[in-house]
Amino acid sequence: MSPQDNARHIALFCKALYAFLLFKILYLWPLVGDVLDYKPFTYNSNLGYLLFAPLVLTKINTELFLGGFALLLVASVIIRVNYISAFIICWFSISLSRLFLPIINGSDLVLNLFLIVAIALPLYPKLPFKNSDQIQKVTSNVALLFAQIQFALIYLLSGYDKLLSASWRSGAAIDSINNLTFFHNPFITFHLNEVVCIVLSWSVIVFEMGFGFLIWVKKFRIPLLVMGILFHLVIAVVLGLVDFALVMMICYGVYLPFKKDMSDTDTVLIR
Amino acid sequence: MTFSMKKILGVVVILLAIHVFTSIIFIIFPSIPTNTVITKGYKRYLLPGPFFTESRITDSYTLLLSWKADSKWSPAINPVLDNYTNSFSKLNLSLLVRSSLERDMYEKAILKIDTSSIAPSEMRGVQYLRSYMMRYGPSSADSTKFLFVRSTTANFETSVDTVQTLTF
């Protein structure tokens, strides 16, 4: 695989994350006043000052922070993916999550993790030292491999937790989701009997556990990604977890670029 | 590829292997306490999840609001559920998040309130209920009633019970 292909793929993945973040800002914007009334943001430590420094803007005007961040994201989607914008976006995103702390969910945690990894993904600007080209490519590939490992581990963690849970093993968890208010789309009602609940529950466990291992085997990769997209589309429509489903589907992009077998570490690290 | 680059890559591969091993330990033994920077960093930032844990899908709370005007009690309304429902019918994610925010607010506020004697520490919860009434009820109400209801599902059975009834 040529380095150019990889650069294009990295750009697409990073820009998809930025576009998702922009979408998130737009739907969170109307709530910022209520969130700050409920839990106002204050700096509690020196580490907090450093980590959430962009939130200084909210002391002047909250709209300034959100608007500035939105403009930065629009610009970053247009311009070439680079270290500087990747770092600033990651920093602002962590700050955004802190600002909206009472309503953050799994999608924010996954998004921030991958934005951190995305700092090391770009190949631009070229650094001015000997062998920098080679080092930048290797760093980028290591970051991509790390992203793939993390994503597989997230599924493994989720699947293993469900495997340990009696209510997931018995299918009762599916029944709970189907019957409790605020857990599913009120316009889609299913009457699921116990057998269907067990089948669905074990399908989720097997998929999540299987993803962590089988994604590294070339012949299973595309079928798993297709199943994953269907799985997350169902989550988006039936459970209403649109943001979580979107970020997970975007992150599938980390598995797409390599034509050679990803389980061969040398292929990833040494080109 | 230079010899030094190969050495660096060797170190990177070893570090990644250690990371995978450590992550698997955290996955297999979820009860490892998160009291150090490394454990906290791993469990909170590097390994987000698990999602849809058993504890999160057992209970669901709703807050019903009714008010008295002209000596008559109004039918109970559930604005947070309305926001939730409208978020799907209008494809409006802001409403979905608003519903999530308000649920978090009323659950934390009301579960703290002890109706036998409202202590100063519980006043925040009471203040929240007043603001809830101002947002969703009429300003001309003589009295306001809140009904806090918990739905629980476990082992394919669903039960509903009233946790609190508060009248102001």
Side-chain angles (χ1 to χ4, degrees):
Chain A
M1 193 190 69
S2 70
Q4 197 182 355
D5 287 343
N6 201 23
R8 262 206 303 271
H9 175 80
I10 284 169
L12 192 66
F13 172 65
C14 291
K15 288 181 180 190
L17 286 179
Y18 301 160
F20 170 75
L21 193 47
L22 181 63
F23 169 65
K24 200 169 185 81
I25 289 175
L26 294 179
Y27 75 75
L28 288 179
W29 202 318
L31 300 164
V32 69
D34 293 316
V35 170
L36 289 178
D37 283 347
Y38 178 42
K39 285 197 179 151
F41 168 74
T42 49
Y43 289 107
N44 296 321
S45 65
N46 289 335
L47 182 66
Y49 271 107
L50 185 69
L51 211 52
F52 311 122
L55 291 179
V56 166
L57 290 174
T58 64
K59 303 295 172 195
I60 306 163
N61 187 325
T62 313
E63 315 286 315
L64 186 66
F65 170 74
L66 293 174
F69 193 14
L71 283 176
L72 173 69
L73 287 165
V74 170
S76 300
V77 169
I78 296 166
I79 64 169
R80 194 169 178 178
V81 171
N82 63 82
Y83 297 117
I84 299 160
S85 62
F87 175 77
I88 296 173
I89 287 171
C90 175
W91 199 14
F92 271 64
S93 178
I94 290 170
S95 300
L96 183 79
S97 298
R98 177 61 190 82
L99 189 69
F100 286 96
L101 191 63
I103 47 175
I104 66 163
N105 58 30
S107 75
D108 299 273
L109 299 175
V110 174
L111 175 68
N112 287 336
L113 170 64
F114 282 87
L115 285 173
I116 292 169
V117 178
I119 296 172
L121 284 176
L123 300 164
Y124 183 80
K126 300 288 177 201
L127 301 177
F129 52 80
K130 196 183 163 193
N131 289 335
S132 65
D133 190 44
Q134 200 180 21
I135 290 169
Q136 283 179 272
K137 282 177 191 165
V138 169
T139 306
S140 176
N141 282 343
V142 169
L144 197 58
L145 177 64
F146 181 77
Q148 293 167 337
I149 290 171
Q150 282 318 108
F151 200 68
L153 287 171
I154 288 171
Y155 269 117
L156 201 58
L157 169 67
S158 204
Y160 188 72
D161 178 77
K162 289 180 177 72
L163 189 66
L164 294 183
S165 153
S167 87
W168 274 97
R169 288 196 308 270
S170 69
I174 296 287
D175 183 65
S176 293
I177 293 166
N178 193 39
N179 283 298
L180 285 177
T181 317
F182 300 118
F183 281 89
H184 67 277
N185 186 335
F187 299 102
I188 301 175
T189 311
F190 296 109
H191 298 286
L192 305 175
N193 64 33
E194 200 169 327
V195 175
V196 176
C197 286
I198 292 171
V199 170
L200 286 174
S201 202
W202 276 96
S203 301
V204 173
I205 294 171
V206 169
F207 171 71
E208 291 188 337
M209 292 285 291
F211 191 99
F213 295 106
L214 298 177
I215 195 67
W216 304 103
V217 183
K218 193 180 175 184
K219 69 173 177 181
F220 290 119
R221 197 173 307 142
I222 297 299
L224 272 175
L225 295 180
V226 172
M227 281 166 65
I229 287 171
L230 291 174
F231 175 59
H232 287 294
L233 281 176
V234 170
I235 285 178
V237 175
V238 178
L239 305 186
L241 297 173
V242 178
D243 52 351
F244 182 69
L246 273 176
V247 79
M248 294 299 274
M249 286 193 280
I250 289 169
C251 289
Y252 281 163
V254 296
Y255 294 105
L256 290 178
F258 297 102
K259 287 173 184 145
K260 291 181 185 175
D261 193 346
M262 286 303 299
S263 58
D264 179 0
T265 311
D266 286 350
T267 307
V268 182
L269 296 176
I270 306 166
R271 292 194 301 238
Chain B
M1 182 157 294
T2 61
F3 176 70
S4 60
M5 183 61 80
K6 280 187 179 171
K7 273 173 77 175
I8 291 170
L9 282 176
V11 173
V12 168
V13 170
I14 290 168
L15 287 175
L16 281 175
I18 292 171
H19 165 66
V20 171
F21 178 76
T22 311
S23 299
I24 288 172
I25 294 291
F26 279 114
I27 291 170
I28 295 173
F29 303 105
S31 55
I32 292 175
T34 53
N35 50 5
T36 67
V37 175
I38 293 173
T39 53
K40 197 183 285 183
Y42 257 93
K43 292 188 86 168
R44 194 178 291 176
Y45 302 106
L46 282 177
L47 275 175
F51 309 111
F52 270 88
T53 53
E54 193 171 332
S55 59
R56 287 190 59 202
I57 50 174
T58 306
D59 296 323
S60 169
Y61 294 93
T62 50
L63 182 64
L64 299 166
L65 168 66
S66 175
W67 57 87
K68 193 176 183 181
D70 300 328
S71 307
K72 278 168 63 181
W73 282 101
S74 71
I77 62 166
N78 190 343
V80 175
L81 183 59
D82 292 342
N83 278 340
Y84 183 77
T85 306
N86 289 336
S87 74
F88 287 93
S89 61
K90 295 176 180 170
L91 298 176
N92 185 334
L93 269 180
S94 294
L95 283 178
L96 187 70
V97 183
R98 177 175 293 287
S99 153
S100 169
L101 172 69
E102 293 197 336
R103 270 185 291 138
D104 186 66
M105 288 160 93
Y106 70 58
E107 283 176 22
K108 288 195 173 126
I110 297 174
L111 288 173
K112 278 184 189 167
I113 294 176
D114 174 7
T115 45
S116 59
S117 64
I118 293 178
S121 61
E122 293 157 2
M123 284 310 290
R124 195 177 163 87
V126 176
Q127 280 168 5
Y128 168 72
L129 291 175
R130 292 217 167 102
S131 68
Y132 189 86
M133 174 61 191
M134 282 165 68
R135 181 193 286 264
Y136 294 113
S139 54
S140 57
D142 299 325
S143 303
T144 312
K145 189 189 284 180
F146 294 96
L147 205 62
F148 190 51
V149 179
R150 176 176 53 215
S151 304
T152 305
T153 62
N155 300 320
F156 297 94
E157 285 179 9
T158 305
S159 61
V160 178
D161 66 307
T162 304
V163 181
Q164 294 270 25
T165 305
L166 297 158
T167 308
F168 296 97

